[in-house]
Amino acid sequence: MNQPPRLLTLHPQDNVAIALGDIAPGETQGAPRLLQPVGQGHKVATAPIRAGENVLRYGQIIGQARADIAVGEHVHVHNLGMGEHSRDYAHASENAPLAPSSEDRSFMGYHRADGRVGTRNYIGILTSVNCSGSVARFIAEAAETSGLLDGHDNIDGIVPITHGTGCGMSGENEGYATLFRTLSGYAQHPNFGGILLIGLGCEVMQISDLVGGRPIRADGTLRYMTIQHEGGTRRTIEKGLDELRGIATLANKARRAPASVAHLTVGMQCGGSDGYSGITANPALGMASDLLVRHGGTTILSETSEIYGAEHLLTRRAASVEVGEKLIDRIRWWEDYTARNHGEMDNNPSPGNKRGGLTTILEKSLGAVAKSGSAPLTDVYLFGEKIDKRGFVFMDSPGFDPCSVTGQIASGANLIVFTTGRGSVSGYMPTPCIKIATNSDMYRRMSEDMDINCGDIVSDGVGLDDKGREIFEMLIRTASGERTRSETLGFGGVEFVPWQIGAVM
Amino acid sequence: MNQPPRLLTLHPQDNVAIALGDIAPGETQGAPRLLQPVGQGHKVATAPIRAGENVLRYGQIIGQARADIAVGEHVHVHNLGMGEHSRDYAHASENAPLAPSSEDRSFMGYHRADGRVGTRNYIGILTSVNCSGSVARFIAEAAETSGLLDGHDNIDGIVPITHGTGCGMSGENEGYATLFRTLSGYAQHPNFGGILLIGLGCEVMQISDLVGGRPIRADGTLRYMTIQHEGGTRRTIEKGLDELRGIATLANKARRAPASVAHLTVGMQCGGSDGYSGITANPALGMASDLLVRHGGTTILSETSEIYGAEHLLTRRAASVEVGEKLIDRIRWWEDYTARNHGEMDNNPSPGNKRGGLTTILEKSLGAVAKSGSAPLTDVYLFGEKIDKRGFVFMDSPGFDPCSVTGQIASGANLIVFTTGRGSVSGYMPTPCIKIATNSDMYRRMSEDMDINCGDIVSDGVGLDDKGREIFEMLIRTASGERTRSETLGFGGVEFVPWQIGAVM
Ligand SMILES: [Ca+2]
Ligand SMILES: [Ca+2]
Ligand SMILES: [Ca+2]
Ligand SMILES: [Ca+2]
Ligand SMILES: [Ca+2]
């Protein structure tokens, strides 16, 4: 950790590098020679930049030089600004597919009737409304106490999925539609080998609507009931245990079998970000995302409020004009959503961000977008909408971690990768969550909660591509059954957080 | 149950009675003689009503006769309408205090340092954010497993209080203020003998803000910590168990002692309402409310969206013009809240309501207001705002049960009374919840979940005043330690639902 302060170049096309510590002139070993002191996280020109020319970080434009900038010069608010570049969506103008990988990689997964592949084999007790949440937990506890899963060694456990909504809402608006997609997505999720769905009976989110008219789990592994129809708590628990026994018999027949990594759908998330997120863990995850996409798999970027300001870079990567326009539609929706709630979309660097070296909204937003690598954007999905295309996709969501991850899982994520600088501890059953530390200090303090340390990019000079490969390999091991830290610790009991949109009535 | 169909008069001043079954002319025993068949739940005139005269139910105006109405005539949309009465708030015009009771009733409660009295003695593990929820539960589980409360027989248990918000929100708007009040109210609640407050560290709802600058639990029974400061999950659990031991030593010193029932604060709630709610359980609860107010106690009406349309009757009961105006301010706020969320305040009788006999929005809303009896309205509070006056008060909230009850408890409710027609099962630790069935059919099916049956008002002709007394006596027994059905069944693990207002970011 006592290595000399260094400079990090995040992409070969960049004309700036990032100081990995406070650096004085002359202190850098190798080019460029600094012309003035530069603080940790700040930018230094690595090529001459003429006034008006683009400044590139992550291989992406973060603004234009306000004056000629010499090699070794500090690049910040005094000589870097933003022009009108962001007004031009240039839909689908930079969407060349990544070269397919020549490797043929697979994991050991659960092949489901609908063609999807699970990375876990849980039984879910899903609830339509808060009012059936306690009974769902009572059933799970009674199953545990009674040893209901004894001899069912292929089942990972029984997971009650409870939440704070499902009633006191309109049955017709986008809030209802969002919750409906979320619950439907969990009901069909490939990481569940079976589902027991429990309602109270009189709620807005009716069980009959959730299960009606569509084949969910044609293999008979979805059962449902309401507390009012069964006649109260005790009878519902008894009937629930009966149903669970039937579900468990079926779910226990599942066996892990080889599956192409093309069946992996990885929700990418950051929470508790810090100044390192955009230079270590996020770009490393971008490398892993590109690797998985080259293998035919799927990665999901979300957190619309945190990529705001960089949307025109994603539209350039859109597979088609229509896909680019879908993204912009969501951006416009968010501007309205925040305005009608007396707020605004504002992802501009805060004074603290600026002290840390972030100059423009583009640069800040790109720190979040960096998770997505360079693959074309295949499609854009609503929160919890079923993902039906492969490659790199976007799913609309807030940045709030449990809510965003809930949407990604509802959309079909069978793995989550979560970068964190401050140290988030959380898990999201039924989907395993790989935690990546952005810095070695936090990793040392919270190593029992972290699966990978990307702080060594700074502290030990490990390459982003090497970390990307390390993440990719952990994806495959985790998908095949290796437990993450948060799974071992038992997380996931409270982190199901549907996006509540609209008035609570 | 095979008694002849009867008519129920809900208040001595009423000029209509309610049919307790489908009744044919001549079938009623005693006056009035029906002039035409009247369906169950529908109204019959019990006095001659001239065109333009007020029609009274619950002793309150539900509209005006559109034509002369004879005794025994069916009263519904054909001859009953609404004039401009509801435009006149007549603040504080009908606010005569109820006569104080000559009885001197007390319960056995926990006297707290701040002068309030608890009805239970739990230890709460409170969380600032969803991201510390799992760890709160791990600590509670570890305390259970390790027998931490062994020998602490005066403590009712350890209650993790988890939720789905606390971050991904503005730190400045009314959504933040509402959550802040809610968490503060729980932290200070007299039903807790001690509080362990746990945050993640980087959330919007900072622990330092929650505990800073104000004396919370001056007796040392509030401790706090963040997961990031402690260095992860395992260390936080260990430290949390240490803190819990210290809290338990203090909390275990609490003893039940006599307290005037003036220290009872009862949150009144209805959920899963049916056609009987406004005839049986709600007016019976109104009787109990009046009894408690006459004894110096406090009752809380809430569910603003469900009393909408009857606000001018509450303003008449307001203790002062200012109190009446506070209520109307909340009504105006709700009109804006629903409008900006693309909805509207609409409590008008639905076609189904009308088939069931409800004619006007006044009549429907009065079915909810009936819970509040006839006492003057002492004050109006925001969601979760600390109640500092005695008597009958209003606390603003949605109708959604877990959310509304959460606000009432945060405001200081040490008892909840919950009327239900369809059969709600729920509990709200740390506050016991008394469930009242509106009808005997549901009571029979779900008697293991119900504490009191008000269906016998219809099925056995029991008087509303007798039921009010029965509820009042159960309040006292419950406050003194008798466990409700939902407590025995173990409810309360998921029903903490703060009112999430505003955009999730
Ligand atoms: Ca974030
Ligand atoms: Ca589609
Ligand atoms: Ca996030
Ligand atoms: Ca209701
Ligand atoms: Ca309610």
Side-chain angles (χ1 to χ4, degrees):
Chain A
M1 307 306 132
N2 287 315
Q3 298 191 338
R6 290 164 301 108
L7 292 169
L8 177 69
T9 301
L10 289 160
H11 191 278
Q13 288 171 16
D14 289 358
N15 49 16
V16 293
I18 312 302
L20 296 180
D22 295 337
I23 314 182
E27 227 183 314
T28 48
Q29 302 173 330
R33 188 178 60 81
L34 265 57
L35 301 181
Q36 61 266 107
V38 174
Q40 174 172 318
H42 284 244
K43 294 176 290 296
V44 175
T46 53
I49 311 173
R50 305 275 284 269
E53 273 187 4
N54 290 327
V55 175
L56 293 148
R57 175 179 176 162
Y58 308 109
Q60 303 289 351
I61 297 164
I62 60 169
Q64 288 80 38
R66 294 173 185 271
D68 290 349
I69 303 176
V71 173
E73 203 172 326
H74 181 209
V75 178
H76 202 17
V77 288
H78 60 289
N79 56 9
L80 170 61
M82 255 176 65
E84 289 303 297
H85 173 264
S86 65
R87 299 270 174 268
D88 176 12
Y89 296 129
H91 290 297
S93 60
E94 298 170 17
N95 63 2
L98 302 185
S101 173
S102 57
E103 294 179 294
D104 194 9
R105 297 296 301 273
S106 61
F107 70 104
M108 295 295 287
Y110 294 98
H111 294 256
R112 305 297 185 190
D114 66 356
R116 294 194 290 179
V117 180
T119 64
R120 295 293 182 269
N121 192 43
Y122 284 104
I123 293 175
I125 306 183
L126 200 57
T127 53
S128 53
V129 64
N130 176 267
C131 312
S132 56
S134 275
V135 171
R137 287 181 53 188
F138 296 158
I139 293 173
E141 288 161 12
E144 172 80 23
T145 308
S146 67
L148 188 144
L149 289 186
D150 290 353
H152 295 80
D153 296 338
N154 299 316
I155 299 173
D156 287 310
I158 295 173
V159 180
I161 304 282
T162 67
H163 57 93
T165 178
C167 203
M169 64 196 299
S170 164
E172 293 175 347
N173 62 14
E174 66 189 345
Y176 176 89
T178 301
L179 179 62
F180 190 95
R181 283 195 305 271
T182 305
L183 292 171
S184 296
Y186 271 69
Q188 303 169 63
H189 199 281
N191 282 11
F192 285 124
I195 292 283
L196 176 60
L197 177 58
I198 303 184
L200 174 60
C202 56
E203 61 271 26
V204 169
M205 180 59 63
Q206 286 284 295
I207 295 282
S208 55
D209 293 329
L210 280 168
V211 301
R214 302 168 309 138
I216 305 184
R217 296 189 170 267
D219 56 358
T221 55
L222 183 137
R223 314 274 174 96
Y224 53 92
M225 57 201 299
T226 71
I227 296 163
Q228 288 170 349
H229 185 262
E230 298 306 326
T233 300
R234 186 183 54 77
R235 289 196 188 98
T236 307
I237 296 171
E238 284 175 11
K239 172 102 177 283
L241 289 171
D242 282 346
E243 297 287 13
L244 273 187
R245 282 182 204 101
I247 294 167
T249 300
L250 294 170
N252 194 49
K253 292 177 180 161
R255 293 289 183 281
R256 287 192 184 271
S260 160
V261 293
H263 287 287
L264 293 180
T265 301
V266 178
M268 302 186 292
Q269 187 68 206
C270 62
S273 300
D274 69 356
Y276 292 99
S277 300
I279 55 181
T280 60
N282 287 1
L285 178 51
M287 298 281 183
S289 175
D290 281 354
L291 262 177
L292 184 60
V293 169
R294 291 178 56 210
H295 280 85
T298 304
T299 60
I300 314 169
L301 183 69
S302 296
E303 308 178 285
T304 313
S305 50
E306 293 176 15
I307 63 103
Y308 187 66
E311 58 272 17
H312 60 286
L313 296 176
L314 289 168
T315 54
R316 283 169 164 70
R317 291 164 61 185
S320 68
V321 174
E322 291 68 31
V323 168
E325 286 173 345
K326 280 169 86 170
L327 180 70
I328 298 307
D329 282 349
R330 297 320 302 162
I331 296 287
R332 295 288 163 267
W333 182 92
W334 264 88
E335 287 170 342
D336 177 68
Y337 172 60
T338 49
R340 71 181 185 248
N341 283 292
H342 304 164
E344 58 175 333
M345 291 288 272
D346 178 10
N347 201 25
N348 282 300
S350 64
N353 287 152
K354 287 188 178 166
R355 280 192 298 275
L358 293 177
T359 309
T360 67
I361 187 173
L362 275 173
E363 185 179 14
K364 181 178 175 189
S365 301
L366 277 167
V369 171
K371 295 192 289 289
S372 70
S374 59
L377 175 65
T378 307
D379 210 345
V380 172
Y381 294 90
L382 296 174
F383 185 92
E385 187 179 8
K386 188 171 180 174
I387 289 172
D388 54 5
K389 296 205 182 73
R390 289 182 179 166
F392 161 60
V393 303
F394 187 85
M395 184 208 77
D396 183 32
S397 85
F400 184 40
D401 309 330
C403 178
S404 182
V405 174
T406 293
Q408 292 177 327
I409 293 173
S411 283
N414 53 15
L415 288 175
I416 298 292
V417 181
F418 188 126
T419 70
T420 179
R422 304 286 301 274
S424 288
V425 301
S426 53
Y428 303 91
M429 293 195 277
T431 296
C433 175
I434 294 167
K435 287 277 170 24
I436 302 187
T438 69
N439 68 86
S440 296
D441 277 355
M442 187 275 283
Y443 180 77
R444 271 191 301 275
R445 279 189 296 109
M446 300 183 66
S447 58
E448 295 169 327
D449 291 279
M450 298 293 129
D451 297 287
I452 291 180
N453 177 26
C454 278
D456 54 8
I457 293 166
V458 169
S459 58
D460 302 310
V462 177
L464 285 173
D465 49 351
D466 291 336
K467 295 309 291 191
R469 171 62 68 172
E470 181 181 342
I471 295 168
F472 178 74
E473 295 298 334
M474 181 169 276
L475 289 176
I476 294 175
R477 291 198 311 276
T478 303
S480 301
E482 186 176 292
R483 282 152 72 89
T484 64
R485 297 284 187 173
S486 61
E487 287 182 289
T488 303
L489 288 162
F491 279 88
V494 303
E495 290 95 338
F496 178 71
V497 178
W499 186 6
Q500 186 241 298
I501 304 172
V504 182
M505 297 292 289
Chain B
M1 311 306 132
N2 287 315
Q3 299 190 337
R6 291 163 301 108
L7 292 169
L8 177 70
T9 301
L10 290 160
H11 191 277
Q13 288 171 16
D14 289 359
N15 50 15
V16 293
I18 313 301
L20 295 180
D22 295 336
I23 315 183
E27 227 183 313
T28 47
Q29 303 172 329
R33 189 178 60 81
L34 265 58
L35 301 181
Q36 61 267 106
V38 173
Q40 173 174 317
H42 284 245
K43 294 176 289 298
V44 175
T46 53
I49 310 172
R50 303 275 282 269
E53 275 187 4
N54 290 327
V55 176
L56 292 148
R57 176 181 178 161
Y58 307 108
Q60 302 290 353
I61 298 164
I62 60 168
Q64 288 79 37
R66 295 173 184 272
D68 290 348
I69 303 176
V71 172
E73 202 173 325
H74 181 209
V75 178
H76 202 18
V77 288
H78 60 289
N79 58 7
L80 170 60
M82 255 176 66
E84 290 301 298
H85 172 264
S86 64
R87 300 271 173 267
D88 177 12
Y89 296 131
H91 291 296
S93 59
E94 298 169 18
N95 63 2
L98 302 185
S101 173
S102 57
E103 293 178 294
D104 194 9
R105 298 297 301 275
S106 62
F107 70 105
M108 296 294 288
Y110 295 97
H111 294 254
R112 305 298 186 192
D114 67 356
R116 293 194 291 179
V117 181
T119 64
R120 295 292 181 271
N121 192 42
Y122 285 103
I123 293 175
I125 307 183
L126 200 57
T127 52
S128 54
V129 65
N130 177 266
C131 312
S132 56
S134 275
V135 171
R137 288 180 54 187
F138 296 158
I139 294 173
E141 288 161 12
E144 172 81 24
T145 307
S146 67
L148 187 143
L149 289 187
D150 290 354
H152 295 79
D153 296 338
N154 298 316
I155 298 174
D156 287 309
I158 295 173
V159 181
I161 304 282
T162 66
H163 57 93
T165 179
C167 203
M169 64 196 299
S170 164
E172 294 175 347
N173 62 14
E174 66 188 345
Y176 176 89
T178 301
L179 180 61
F180 190 95
R181 283 195 305 273
T182 306
L183 292 171
S184 297
Y186 271 70
Q188 302 169 62
H189 200 281
N191 282 11
F192 285 124
I195 292 284
L196 177 60
L197 177 57
I198 303 185
L200 174 61
C202 56
E203 62 271 25
V204 169
M205 181 58 63
Q206 286 284 296
I207 295 281
S208 55
D209 293 329
L210 279 168
V211 301
R214 302 166 310 138
I216 304 183
R217 296 189 171 266
D219 56 358
T221 56
L222 183 137
R223 314 274 174 95
Y224 53 91
M225 56 200 300
T226 71
I227 297 164
Q228 288 169 350
H229 184 263
E230 298 306 326
T233 301
R234 186 183 55 76
R235 289 195 189 99
T236 307
I237 296 172
E238 283 176 12
K239 172 103 176 281
L241 289 171
D242 282 347
E243 297 287 14
L244 273 187
R245 282 183 204 102
I247 294 168
T249 300
L250 294 170
N252 192 51
K253 292 177 180 161
R255 294 289 183 280
R256 288 193 184 270
S260 161
V261 294
H263 287 288
L264 293 180
T265 301
V266 178
M268 303 185 293
Q269 186 69 205
C270 62
S273 300
D274 69 355
Y276 292 99
S277 300
I279 307 177
T280 61
N282 287 2
L285 178 52
M287 298 282 182
S289 174
D290 281 355
L291 262 178
L292 184 61
V293 169
R294 291 177 56 210
H295 281 85
T298 304
T299 60
I300 314 169
L301 183 70
S302 296
E303 307 178 286
T304 313
S305 49
E306 293 177 15
I307 63 105
Y308 188 66
E311 58 272 17
H312 60 286
L313 297 176
L314 289 168
T315 54
R316 283 168 164 70
R317 292 164 61 185
S320 68
V321 174
E322 291 67 32
V323 167
E325 286 173 345
K326 279 170 87 170
L327 180 69
I328 299 306
D329 282 350
R330 297 320 301 162
I331 296 287
R332 296 287 163 267
W333 182 92
W334 265 88
E335 288 169 342
D336 177 68
Y337 172 60
T338 50
R340 72 182 184 246
N341 282 292
H342 304 164
E344 58 175 333
M345 290 289 272
D346 178 9
N347 201 24
N348 281 300
S350 64
N353 288 150
K354 287 188 177 166
R355 280 192 298 276
L358 293 177
T359 308
T360 67
I361 187 173
L362 275 173
E363 186 179 13
K364 181 179 175 188
S365 301
L366 277 167
V369 171
K371 295 193 288 291
S372 71
S374 59
L377 176 64
T378 308
D379 211 345
V380 172
Y381 294 89
L382 296 174
F383 185 93
E385 187 179 9
K386 188 172 180 175
I387 290 171
D388 55 4
K389 296 205 181 73
R390 288 181 179 169
F392 161 59
V393 303
F394 187 85
M395 183 208 77
D396 183 33
S397 86
F400 184 40
D401 309 329
C403 178
S404 181
V405 173
T406 293
Q408 292 177 327
I409 294 173
S411 283
N414 53 14
L415 288 175
I416 298 292
V417 181
F418 188 127
T419 70
T420 179
R422 304 285 302 274
S424 287
V425 300
S426 53
Y428 302 92
M429 292 195 279
T431 296
C433 175
I434 295 167
K435 288 277 172 26
I436 303 187
T438 69
N439 68 86
S440 295
D441 277 355
M442 186 275 282
Y443 180 78
R444 273 191 300 276
R445 279 189 296 108
M446 299 183 66
S447 58
E448 295 169 327
D449 291 279
M450 297 293 130
D451 297 285
I452 291 182
N453 177 27
C454 278
D456 55 8
I457 292 167
V458 169
S459 58
D460 303 310
V462 176
L464 285 172
D465 49 352
D466 291 335
K467 295 309 291 190
R469 172 62 68 172
E470 181 182 341
I471 295 168
F472 178 74
E473 294 299 334
M474 181 169 274
L475 289 177
I476 294 175
R477 292 199 309 277
T478 303
S480 299
E482 185 176 293
R483 283 154 70 90
T484 64
R485 298 283 188 174
S486 61
E487 287 182 288
T488 303
L489 288 163
F491 279 89
V494 304
E495 290 96 338
F496 179 71
V497 178
W499 187 5
Q500 185 241 298
I501 303 172
V504 182
M505 296 293 290

